[in-house]
Amino acid sequence: MSGGRYRYLFSPLRIGPVTISNRIVFSAHLTNYAEDGLPSEQHAAYYAARAEGGTGLIITEEHSVHPTDWPYEKLIHGFHPEVIPGYRRITDAVHRHGVPIFAQINHNGGQASGMYSRLPVWAPSPIADPLFREVPKEVDRREIAEIVAGYAKVASHCKAGGFDGIELQCSHSSIVRGFLSPATNVRTDDYGGSLWNRARILLEIVEAVRETIGRDLALGVRLCGDELVENGTTIDEAVEVAKLVEEQGLTDYINTSIGVATSTLFMIEASMHVPPGYALFIPSAIRKAVELPVVGVGRFKDPLQAERALAEGHCDLVGVVRGQIADADFVAKARAGFTDDIRLCLSCNQECVGRMGLNRWLGCIENPRTGREVDLPPPVTTEPRRVVVIGAGPGGMQAAIVAKMRGHDVVVLEKESQPGGQARLAAVVPNRAEFGDIVRNLHHDCRRLGIEIRFGVAADAETVLAEQPGVVIVATGAVPAAPYWVPAEASEGGPQICDVRDVLAGTASPSGRVVVIDELGFHQATSVAELLADRDCDVEIITPGMVVGQDLGITLDLENWNIRAAAKGIVQSTDLVAMGVEPGKLNLLHHPTGRNVQRDVDWVVLAVPQAPNDTLYFELKERGIEVHRIGDALAPRRAHAAVVDGYRVGGIV
Amino acid sequence: VKLLEPITLGSRSARNRIVFGPHETNLARKRAISDRHLAYYRARAEGGAGMIVVEEASVHGSDWPYERAPFVGDARAGWEQIAQVCHENGTLALAALGHAGGQGSSAYSQAPLWAPSRVPEVASREVPKWMEPEDIEEVIHSFAVAARLAHDCGLDGVEINAGQYSLVRQFLSGLTNQRGDEWGSDKLLFARRILEQARANVLSGVVGLRLSCDELAPWAGLVPDAAAEVAAALSDHVDYITVVRGSIYTTSAYRPDTHVEPGFNIELARLVRAAVPDRVAVIVQGSVVDSGPAEWILSEGIGDAVEMTRAQIADADFGRKVTDGEADRVRPCIRCNQACQVRDARNPIVSCVGNPSSGHEWEDPAIGGTAPIRHDVVVVGGGPAGLECARVAAMRGHRVSLCERGDQLGGTFRVAANGAGRAPLVALVDWLEAECRRNGVEVRLATEVTAAELEQASKDGTRVVLCTGSTRGRPSYEADDDAVVVAALDFLGGESLPEGPVVVWDPIGGPIGVSVAELLASQGREVTLATPDLIAGNELSRTGDLAPANVRLQASGVHLAKRSLLRRVTASDVEVEDRFTGERSTLKAAVVIDAGYRLPDDQLWRETGERLQRAGDAAAPRSVYEAILEGRRAALAVEAV
């Protein structure tokens, strides 16, 4: 099978003893699918779905090599032999689709706490990680030997479990990185000081693991090309380490990454605010220095970008993780020439990366199957019905898609001239355009499935009944709801007040001194503030909370938001509750001290909770027809909630 | 002693008035009441609790407030076993039943939250679905089913949660119930219907109500007088009322740490006691952790029983010790909330800094009993790790000497207690010291031990444990020769500071930096707390002190330099860098107090060939929890070869 327009992407490659059929790697990432330290059935189903979807190679999430390493609750404890049956379940499931799978093994070193292990954290030097904030125990020689032996032991478990190769994570969250980096290794013995000394443990581990697995399994080393921290490893030294690894002659490939998973995580799993391919300089530099195949990573969203990275010689393989989280069939669709059918990742980080830090299972904002692969998909219906969906936002479209796939007769009524609802508006602000892909993807699926969407139809009960529905799904979204302190009518000389939606839709154009009130803690306030600052407004964001845009931390957008906000002169003020307006002023209460404060303003823009647009639902309910309500019409929440509601209801009607 | 008198609760009688109240433990396996719960509650039943109310179980599938929140549908086996083990030990066992409503989480259910009205939860900001009438009926019915299950499992009854995190309270309160229908016009209707169902289904068993009697939101919430009326109106349906406080805006008020004096619910309890008939017992909750105040509460007639949950997390044998006249031997709860407060996405298991095996009864070795061989043990260092090591070793029959180079025991923990609002911490090291002396530990104060002595002792077969604590950390900033930088613990230990403004550098965000800044402000100093975080005391959320600490800091005039990295200290000022933009600015400072990371004091360990056993900060400077855990383990380890 040729790759059509993707000549490089679909050329096979040998990695040690393993041959892969294409250059796309589903590289290692946390899933939080482990149960009691063991790989789960969900793990197997998750990886198998990507194997079935045609990925060239799968590298699993990390398996811990030692009890001192337990940084997050749902870690796979590879050092327990009990993991082997779970490994076997994963590898059998993946091999059924003819795809090789490697296991990543690791010790997170000082990038951990003792919360779960109730043991001291181990690291080269007693330097606390800035996220975990726990001073580690400086490992002695005996403990170093124990770590090395742990790698070998886990490698033997992986071999017994049927893996085709092993990857050593020596990059963004690893005790090996800890040793390699001058920022975290201040030892004065044989394991500190010169680069060779700092790399000693890495070479010892490679040797021990190769000794254990023999030559039948591939062995890779993943290196951090730039830690992006003070005094940390940068690309020149990373290249030198890659050369040392190659000279040792025991390793089959080099994988790469950027950043440190705790202090500069926002650059490892960069959101849509960071340009695609931002980390390509790393494999590029390493590939120039070594013969081994090199994997490049860093927000590869579509096969075209991946193809170009290969064609330009930056790397031999391309890691596409989020792209395949969003669409398990990413590779198969590219190979078949149906690139447009790929459900593009938004790089929103809301339900994949964002959930990892919260100790929740990995999902996807736009793919309700992700994280639920172990469950059967909704069954095809035996009683096809006429399903009328009101509203073509993410929830409505998702419900329509599932209902249609199950064999129902589906029509969608949308009052606007375009699909997407609030998601479409959210994408109009600077740096957020990719969010609009959720609308494109869903709309594309609707069209592909032949779902009729009637635009410009403001449905009321009569319109709906005229469709002779078997069942109605109300996905009418939410409406802005002004807080109690907003005067019902604009007061004389008072600041003008509008909702963020008005600004995004262009129905309000604030100017001059603008205060944006952030009660939602997500992109609504910050992105509108940026938009208005770009339009030369003097912008201040005010929140009753302790941080503006608090949840931007979850999606790794907080750092870059703060950098942009400073550059755009946006002022951020916390602990302030809006109390009312008077001519030219906004009255606020500083709640920790009880002080009243004022701002001189021309405009107040509200990012506050909305109200469900549920009139139609209750009208239909009263008429006694079967009606379901999803998304914001049920309770105004984020896009993912709408998609999940749509999937659930579409699956049961 | 009133505390030890039996009490009638409906048809049942508890042997004493010490209640182990419902609380989050994260001991569930998935959502099942588990073997881990059983071990935890067994220890409290054996330890003399009068009544145990098991961790709340969600009654309905729409409620999954935290990942390991028990669910009624997965509770049967655990409830049966807990009922049995409690009854074997003469303890009443009740199920707590609840629904967190709009204060839950959609993260695990992937479904909307249910609430009376469209009021977003404060922390998550999630807007709930306002419940349709059939939703309401469904939840009421699920309380009925749950109550019947509790009865069938052999439990003595149920406690319905209308406390801080509850749908029932959300219906009772104008803050969260803005409905225009019958459920809004009669805000008690939901609670009344549930209590009726509970009563009918628990048959002869006990029905209790956990009631928030002050939502601390007087503009719309339940205020004390109104709550007393609610209690009176619902009293026909219940056998007891547990008086608590707090709601959506006041998450830390329910079980605050040391910064709030105990007894904050006394007046609420009095109001409720006066409002309800004698038949209904009133249980008092709220930082009551010592038997003395508990006895006072009962003797004053403020309430009829006392919920002493944290006290029994700290010491499972609280009831037994009080009964045996050994109240002074109870391991004190110091209200630090550092290990027992587990409402946290990481799912930490409930535990106690003073008693690290609390919550881990299912896995930790017992420390009681006598060692098969009696060793000579030398413990070097009299901080929490050394004290716990010496205490346990001596208790197990070893001949223990504890050498401390200073003139008092307690190490840095005693010093940390000098921080603002942290004085109660001292009780833990005082207790450890007293227990060491009771168990015959030979305490040698002002005693420097040399490596040679330890080598010799070790050769002679003496077991040596190094608990030498920590020392000043490596600065992450430049300091001029004439700059004054004082380590936070040295300042708390009494080191005097030059006159002038102070910058407290706090890269950790724990209690130390905040308490130092507060202390200085109270002494009239001009203080800046510099932190790399966006929030001062960033790590305090677990103890519940995050928001209160920020209020106190601002109210006391502490200047906050957030998102700041300390770069350089001179004799008169400091240079800080904005973490995001790299922009540098200058703050006036005659002295910098460094509340940053410390290093192990491992000199003796290094001088003795890096092979002696270490515990606590001497291995890696961390919190008191790890110190005591490792001290305890080291004491057991002296018995291994």
Side-chain angles (χ1 to χ4, degrees):
Chain A
M1 218 189 305
S2 98
R5 63 207 264 210
Y6 305 115
R7 203 152 64 84
Y8 292 90
L9 212 48
F10 292 105
S11 60
L13 181 75
R14 271 187 75 87
I15 304 173
V18 176
T19 301
I20 62 172
S21 68
N22 67 68
R23 306 299 182 93
I24 300 288
V25 184
F26 193 47
S27 54
H29 56 282
L30 306 191
T31 64
N32 281 339
Y33 297 153
E35 290 172 8
D36 297 325
L38 300 175
S40 63
E41 283 185 52
Q42 166 56 25
H43 269 118
Y46 175 71
Y47 292 125
R50 275 73 199 173
E52 188 178 6
T55 194
L57 172 67
I58 292 170
I59 305 172
T60 68
E61 70 180 285
E62 64 183 355
H63 310 281
S64 168
V65 303
H66 195 269
T68 50
D69 178 34
W70 196 348
Y72 50 94
E73 190 185 26
K74 290 143 192 158
L75 173 78
I76 299 174
H77 299 288
F79 51 87
H80 285 314
E82 290 82 0
V83 294
I84 294 173
Y87 285 170
R88 184 55 79 176
R89 182 166 55 201
I90 291 172
T91 56
D92 284 349
V94 168
H95 288 154
R96 223 165 277 143
H97 303 286
V99 173
I101 178 165
F102 297 175
Q104 187 183 72
I105 64 181
N106 191 33
H107 188 302
N108 287 272
Q111 293 170 268
S113 82
M115 176 184 275
Y116 304 111
S117 69
R118 302 167 83 215
L119 295 169
V121 165
W122 282 7
S125 299
I127 296 171
D129 177 82
L131 180 73
F132 286 100
R133 304 182 186 204
E134 182 166 317
V135 178
K137 178 172 186 281
E138 176 182 334
V139 285
D140 59 29
R141 287 175 162 281
R142 186 185 48 76
E143 289 158 346
I144 289 174
E146 216 178 290
I147 292 167
V148 174
Y151 274 88
K153 180 182 190 181
V154 176
S156 77
H157 294 163
C158 292
K159 186 177 181 179
F163 284 103
D164 305 292
I166 300 289
E167 177 172 285
L168 308 174
Q169 201 247 85
C170 310
S171 44
H172 42 275
S173 184
S174 169
I175 199 165
V176 181
R177 181 208 55 77
F179 271 94
L180 287 169
S181 171
T184 42
N185 181 351
V186 296
R187 297 173 73 97
T188 53
D189 65 358
D190 292 351
Y191 290 88
S194 70
L195 179 62
W196 211 97
N197 273 357
R198 283 183 274 126
R200 186 183 300 273
I201 191 169
L202 164 60
L203 300 178
E204 287 177 357
I205 290 169
V206 169
E207 193 176 334
V209 169
R210 179 56 88 190
E211 168 89 23
T212 305
I213 61 176
R215 280 286 173 183
D216 297 339
L217 270 67
L219 177 59
V221 168
R222 188 169 195 184
L223 295 173
C224 176
D226 192 336
E227 293 186 302
L228 306 169
V229 299
E230 263 176 64
N231 204 24
T233 296
T234 53
I235 186 65
D236 294 344
E237 218 169 68
V239 168
E240 290 309 308
V241 175
K243 287 202 260 183
L244 285 177
V245 168
E246 181 164 77
E247 278 163 25
Q248 192 190 16
L250 299 173
T251 297
D252 299 312
Y253 75 98
I254 304 278
N255 197 347
T256 58
S257 76
I258 186 166
V260 176
T262 40
S263 48
T264 50
L265 180 66
F266 69 102
M267 288 300 285
I268 299 179
E269 299 151 329
S271 79
M272 65 182 78
H273 295 268
V274 176
Y278 67 98
L280 207 49
F281 70 97
I282 294 167
S284 197
I286 291 176
R287 192 166 182 264
K288 284 191 189 91
V290 301
E291 298 292 317
L292 294 173
V294 178
V295 188
V297 300
R299 215 159 92 66
F300 285 98
K301 278 193 55 148
D302 63 53
L304 213 60
Q305 289 167 2
E307 173 76 5
R308 186 176 303 159
L310 295 168
E312 291 175 356
H314 297 296
C315 50
D316 302 284
L317 301 111
V318 182
V320 176
V321 175
R322 283 173 289 178
Q324 296 188 84
I325 290 173
D327 193 340
D329 298 321
F330 179 96
V331 177
K333 286 174 180 173
R335 191 188 278 272
F338 299 133
T339 305
D340 284 352
D341 288 356
I342 294 173
R343 188 188 297 110
L344 288 176
C345 163
L346 318 179
S347 300
C348 70
N349 282 352
Q350 287 180 218
E351 307 297 328
C352 52
V353 173
R355 286 211 204 144
M356 294 304 96
L358 296 170
N359 191 21
R360 298 170 185 163
W361 49 273
L362 179 130
C364 175
I365 189 172
E366 53 173 349
N367 183 354
R369 291 284 299 153
T370 299
R372 290 289 183 255
E373 287 84 355
V374 74
D375 301 329
L376 291 173
V380 170
T381 183
T382 50
E383 291 174 65
R385 301 168 77 185
R386 172 80 169 159
V387 177
V388 178
V389 180
I390 319 300
M397 288 196 284
Q398 181 65 58
I401 289 164
V402 177
K404 179 75 176 181
M405 288 174 71
R406 293 178 56 223
H408 291 297
D409 170 27
V410 182
V411 63
V412 181
L413 309 180
E414 166 58 49
K415 73 174 184 327
E416 303 286 337
S417 60
Q418 299 172 68
Q422 291 187 72
R424 180 171 50 81
L425 290 182
V428 306
V429 295
N431 295 309
R432 301 286 300 159
E434 287 176 53
F435 198 78
D437 283 342
I438 191 173
V439 180
R440 187 214 76 95
N441 294 338
L442 286 162
H443 190 212
H444 181 85
D445 273 357
C446 286
R447 280 189 299 193
R448 189 170 53 79
L449 292 165
I451 296 168
E452 183 191 359
I453 305 182
R454 272 186 239 150
F455 291 105
V457 180
D460 57 17
E462 300 312 321
T463 334
V464 174
L465 292 175
E467 293 294 327
Q468 299 188 311
V471 53
V472 180
I473 300 174
V474 173
T476 43
V479 289
Y484 75 93
W485 55 266
V486 173
E489 295 183 17
S491 53
E492 184 102 359
Q496 303 205 57
I497 303 176
C498 68
D499 192 87
V500 283
R501 286 176 64 173
D502 302 320
V503 180
L504 295 171
T507 53
S509 299
S511 58
R513 296 159 303 177
V514 181
V515 165
V516 181
I517 291 178
D518 179 19
E519 289 185 11
L520 300 176
F522 211 32
H523 292 286
Q524 294 92 338
T526 55
S527 63
V528 166
E530 281 193 66
L531 186 72
L532 294 175
D534 290 348
R535 294 179 187 166
D536 294 328
C537 297
D538 290 327
V539 183
E540 178 178 6
I541 307 190
I542 279 171
T543 173
M546 300 173 99
V547 176
V548 166
Q550 174 127 30
D551 288 357
L552 299 186
I554 295 168
T555 57
L556 311 182
D557 284 311
L558 196 64
E559 284 83 357
N560 285 325
W561 147 251
N562 276 293
I563 293 167
R564 294 194 307 273
K568 294 180 179 188
I570 297 169
V571 176
Q572 305 184 53
S573 305
T574 60
D575 300 316
L576 293 168
V577 182
M579 304 297 284
V581 287
E582 58 184 86
K585 297 196 188 300
L586 170 65
N587 294 323
L588 301 156
L589 172 72
H590 184 251
H591 64 81
T593 57
R595 271 198 330 263
N596 291 306
V597 289
Q598 270 191 334
R599 295 288 194 271
D600 297 323
V601 290
D602 301 308
W603 281 81
V604 176
V605 179
L606 303 169
V608 298
Q610 304 185 71
N613 183 15
D614 53 13
T615 316
L616 179 61
Y617 167 78
F618 283 106
E619 272 177 36
L620 294 170
K621 186 181 174 192
E622 212 156 278
R623 299 216 184 182
I625 58 170
E626 186 185 339
V627 56
H628 300 268
R629 192 161 50 128
I630 61 172
D632 283 3
L634 182 58
R637 292 153 294 159
R638 294 174 184 167
H640 176 66
V643 171
V644 168
D645 284 355
Y647 183 77
R648 179 173 55 236
V649 169
I652 56 170
V653 293
Chain B
V1 184
K2 193 108 200 265
L3 189 59
L4 300 175
E5 287 175 13
I7 180 173
T8 301
L9 298 165
S11 63
R12 302 294 204 275
S13 175
R15 64 173 149 181
N16 62 41
R17 294 164 184 243
I18 303 164
V19 178
F20 193 48
H23 57 286
E24 184 176 339
T25 67
N26 285 329
L27 291 169
R29 294 201 187 267
K30 297 210 166 142
R31 299 193 75 183
I33 301 281
S34 72
D35 58 311
R36 308 196 292 195
H37 277 113
L38 180 65
Y40 183 65
Y41 292 118
R42 179 200 300 272
R44 274 75 199 172
E46 289 173 353
M51 175 165 91
I52 288 175
V53 186
V54 175
E55 179 171 8
E56 176 174 321
S58 295
V59 294
H60 188 261
S62 57
D63 184 41
W64 193 341
Y66 49 96
E67 189 173 10
R68 308 224 186 285
F71 178 55
V72 165
D74 298 320
R76 179 186 282 274
W79 277 354
E80 283 173 349
Q81 290 165 343
I82 289 168
Q84 190 185 342
V85 76
C86 284
H87 293 158
E88 282 166 10
N89 285 283
T91 302
L92 295 185
L94 273 70
L97 302 180
H99 189 302
Q103 294 170 283
S105 168
S106 61
Y108 312 107
S109 65
Q110 299 276 293
L113 301 177
W114 285 10
S117 299
R118 191 182 60 85
V119 178
E121 208 277 317
V122 175
S124 74
R125 294 173 297 273
E126 181 158 339
V127 178
K129 173 196 181 190
W130 64 266
M131 294 165 76
E132 294 174 60
E134 58 270 29
D135 301 332
I136 294 173
E137 292 295 344
E138 210 179 302
V139 170
I140 292 169
H141 177 68
S142 69
F143 271 99
V145 171
R148 178 56 63 94
L149 179 66
H151 168 270
D152 292 349
C153 289
L155 292 167
D156 296 293
V158 296
E159 180 174 301
I160 305 299
N161 188 9
Q164 186 178 23
Y165 287 102
S166 69
L167 181 61
V168 181
R169 193 210 75 251
Q170 288 157 28
F171 268 92
L172 288 172
S173 165
L175 203 57
T176 39
N177 181 350
Q178 297 152 4
R179 299 178 70 95
D181 61 6
E182 56 181 327
W183 303 99
S185 59
D186 178 3
K187 294 194 170 56
L188 273 66
L189 180 58
F190 186 67
R192 200 183 306 118
R193 288 276 310 280
I194 286 169
L195 290 170
E196 282 167 6
Q197 290 292 323
R199 171 63 78 207
N201 283 282
V202 83
L203 303 179
S204 71
V206 179
V207 175
L209 176 66
R210 190 172 195 80
L211 182 64
S212 176
C213 296
D214 189 353
E215 290 193 288
L216 305 164
W219 59 90
L222 276 173
V223 295
D225 289 332
E229 288 171 23
V230 170
L234 296 174
S235 62
D236 282 355
H237 307 284
V238 300
D239 300 310
Y240 73 85
I241 294 176
T242 300
V243 175
V244 300
R245 70 173 189 177
S247 72
I248 54 176
Y249 296 107
T250 48
T251 45
S252 58
Y254 168 74
R255 47 172 286 186
D257 75 0
T258 53
H259 294 89
V260 178
E261 288 297 314
F264 49 81
N265 282 339
I266 297 294
E267 292 313 311
L268 290 179
R270 282 191 207 272
L271 279 174
V272 173
R273 181 61 280 169
V276 302
D278 289 349
R279 184 189 61 74
V280 177
V282 170
I283 301 180
V284 181
Q285 178 269 0
S287 294
V288 187
V289 294
D290 296 314
S291 55
E295 182 65 22
W296 176 81
I297 284 167
L298 298 178
S299 63
E300 287 286 303
I302 295 163
D304 307 290
V306 187
E307 204 171 81
M308 305 188 72
T309 304
R310 280 180 286 177
Q312 294 174 86
I313 296 174
D315 194 335
D317 294 324
F318 177 90
R320 190 184 55 69
K321 286 177 179 171
V322 174
T323 305
D324 293 350
E326 294 184 320
D328 59 332
R329 297 202 64 178
V330 170
R331 183 190 294 104
C333 162
I334 51 175
R335 294 181 287 120
C336 70
N337 281 357
Q338 285 177 210
C340 57
Q341 183 107 308
V342 295
R343 207 172 182 100
D344 182 297
R346 295 168 293 181
N347 304 336
I349 284 177
V350 66
S351 196
C352 174
V353 298
N355 181 16
S357 295
S358 188
H360 294 273
E361 291 84 1
W362 54 285
E363 61 174 349
D364 275 9
I367 56 171
T370 307
I373 303 171
R374 207 163 168 230
H375 293 290
D376 290 324
V377 178
V378 171
V379 179
V380 184
L387 285 165
E388 176 71 0
C389 181
R391 178 187 82 90
V392 173
M395 215 168 59
R396 293 182 60 78
H398 303 297
R399 287 176 296 269
V400 183
S401 52
L402 176 64
C403 304
E404 164 58 45
R405 72 179 156 203
D407 53 12
Q408 60 176 1
L409 295 173
T412 51
F413 195 66
R414 188 180 289 281
V415 174
N418 293 330
R422 308 194 82 207
L425 302 190
V426 166
L428 177 58
V429 279
D430 282 347
W431 178 84
L432 285 167
E433 180 175 347
E435 287 294 306
C436 280
R437 294 187 192 275
R438 270 202 189 96
N439 283 295
V441 173
E442 183 197 354
V443 175
R444 296 190 214 153
L445 293 175
T447 303
E448 286 276 1
V449 183
T450 65
E453 287 164 353
L454 293 179
E455 300 260 31
Q456 189 56 49
S458 189
K459 268 193 200 115
D460 296 343
T462 297
R463 310 297 162 130
V464 178
V465 182
L466 299 176
C467 303
T468 46
S470 66
T471 183
R472 281 181 74 147
R474 213 179 269 120
S476 57
Y477 46 86
E478 285 176 59
D480 290 3
D481 289 343
D482 55 353
V484 184
V485 179
V486 176
L489 287 170
D490 292 337
F491 164 67
L492 291 172
E495 189 170 323
S496 58
L497 306 180
E499 291 299 314
V502 186
V503 168
V504 179
W505 164 236
D506 182 18
I508 299 178
I512 302 276
V514 168
S515 72
V516 165
E518 279 187 76
L519 179 61
L520 286 162
S522 74
Q523 295 168 351
R525 287 271 185 165
E526 188 186 335
V527 191
T528 302
L529 181 65
T531 165
D533 298 312
L534 292 168
I535 300 174
N538 195 65
E539 305 299 295
L540 295 176
S541 56
R542 173 112 188 249
T543 62
D545 196 37
L546 182 68
N550 276 274
V551 170
R552 293 195 309 271
L553 287 166
Q554 296 187 68
S556 62
V558 173
H559 175 64
L560 301 177
K562 299 174 186 174
R563 51 195 263 179
S564 296
L565 299 169
L566 180 59
R567 288 306 191 187
R568 183 163 171 229
V569 186
T570 71
S572 59
D573 50 34
V574 301
E575 197 172 35
V576 293
E577 179 181 313
D578 183 287
R579 186 181 121 202
F580 300 116
T581 65
E583 194 181 321
R584 295 215 176 186
S585 55
T586 300
L587 303 167
K588 285 276 160 240
V591 53
V592 166
I593 295 188
D594 187 338
Y597 301 104
R598 294 171 65 84
L599 288 168
D601 185 346
D602 55 8
Q603 193 186 341
L604 272 177
W605 179 75
R606 291 196 186 278
E607 288 172 3
T608 48
E610 305 190 356
R611 54 179 184 82
L612 294 178
Q613 171 101 14
R614 283 182 291 174
D617 286 3
R622 290 151 296 159
S623 81
V624 64
Y625 179 84
E626 290 83 11
I628 291 186
L629 173 64
E630 290 173 12
R632 180 177 287 196
R633 285 179 179 164
L636 298 178
V638 301
E639 289 163 31
V641 190

